[in-house]
Amino acid sequence: MSIALTWLSHATWLIEVDSHRILLDPFLSDNPAAETTADSLDSISHVLVSHGHADHISDVESIARRNQCPIISNFEIAQWFGAKGFGQDGLPEPIGMNTGGQLELPFGRLKMVPALHSSSFPDGGYAGNPVGFVLSAGKQSVYFACDTAYFSDMRYYAHGVDVAVLPIGDLYTMGIEDSVEAIRTIEPRIAMPTHYGTWPPIEQNPNSWARKVREHTATKPVVLGIGERYEV
């Protein structure tokens, strides 16, 4: 199996595993950095949701309805979408997981791993624990840390993955320095930055991040432009 990653801006990623098209944390409609619209994303097979904040969940419902694809998230978020009619009228049942669990899917094995962050729905309701994901497809693996601080247990959950996708925006997640420390802990073959540049409070220079990664780790940094695709 081959894995291809496309950064759609902010923390939204299109993950292609052979014929499967998986979308992570779709936030496009109210995203000032986005160059793709939610309506243009077709043939999506699954939607992954890391937590309930609006900048990760706002386009989930419209995309999952139009593509009639399952939503995979923590138990509370899965229930929230179930209350919106998913699992009825031909829409697939949302798949609720919890931290530490894993699931065999048509595109590979998905493990739900911890993230250090907060999580609430746009209406302020409780959205369960924030999470990241480790996707294994064939001999390849990708760690999506999602919104998180650095924590040393990343070594246990993600050590030696082929690709680590890590936030660098600071303020709401770890910044550049902690991201480099996470890379030193995880030791991935490739690292990619995410969750930066959308608004001034999380503006970062990804080239500065890449330089620090090269200086302090043996990992290859890959900085994608918005809409750029990389095959692992």
Side-chain angles (χ1 to χ4, degrees), residues 51-71:
H51 64 291
H53 290 163
D55 59 327
H56 295 257
I57 205 171
S58 64
D59 289 312
V60 170
E61 182 174 358
S62 65
I63 290 170
R65 282 188 183 279
R66 193 179 67 258
N67 288 275
Q68 296 189 313
C69 63
I71 298 165

Side-chain angles (χ1 to χ4, degrees), residues 91-153:
L91 291 172
E93 188 82 26
I95 300 172
M97 301 178 66
N98 218 322
T99 311
Q102 59 185 358
L103 186 64
E104 293 291 339
L105 293 159
F107 54 84
R109 185 173 68 253
L110 187 70
K111 185 167 187 175
M112 183 170 279
V113 299
L116 293 183
H117 195 58
S118 57
S119 181
S120 58
F121 292 116
D123 63 5
Y126 174 63
N129 292 323
V131 299
F133 297 98
V134 176
L135 168 63
S136 301
K139 296 182 179 180
Q140 298 176 318
S141 55
V142 181
Y143 171 43
F144 295 95
C146 301
D147 282 21
T148 188
Y150 165 67
F151 58 103
S152 60
D153 282 356

Side-chain angles (χ1 to χ4, degrees), residues 28-56:
L28 301 162
S29 298
D30 298 315
N31 178 350
E35 298 177 359
T36 300
T37 65
D39 291 344
S40 69
L41 290 170
D42 295 321
S43 302
I44 302 300
S45 60
H46 300 77
V47 177
L48 307 182
V49 182
S50 67
H51 64 291
H53 290 163
D55 59 327
H56 295 257

Side-chain angles (χ1 to χ4, degrees), residues 20 25-26 38 42 122 135 137 144 150 155 163 169 179 194 205 219 230:
H20 302 282
D25 286 351
D42 295 321
L135 168 63
F144 295 95
Y150 165 67
R155 176 178 294 277
V163 182
S179 175
T194 190
N205 184 340
T219 294
Y230 184 89

Side-chain angles (χ1 to χ4, degrees), residues 152-229:
S152 60
D153 282 356
M154 288 178 173
R155 176 178 294 277
Y156 173 77
Y157 291 106
H159 184 260
V161 294
D162 290 288
V163 182
V165 179
L166 302 166
I168 66 167
D170 219 339
L171 187 61
Y172 303 114
T173 67
M174 61 181 160
I176 287 177
E177 291 78 11
D178 281 355
S179 175
V180 172
E181 189 60 34
I183 292 167
R184 288 165 56 88
T185 296
I186 299 165
E187 298 183 312
R189 181 166 59 88
I190 295 165
M192 297 181 179
T194 190
H195 204 279
Y196 72 95
T198 317
W199 303 283
I202 58 170
E203 191 67 42
Q204 293 286 4
N205 184 340
N207 295 320
S208 174
W209 169 84
R211 184 176 66 252
K212 290 178 184 291
V213 173
R214 285 191 293 267
E215 288 173 354
H216 298 290
T217 80
T219 294
K220 175 184 176 181
V222 173
V223 176
L224 297 183
I226 294 173
E228 190 172 357
R229 182 176 186 268

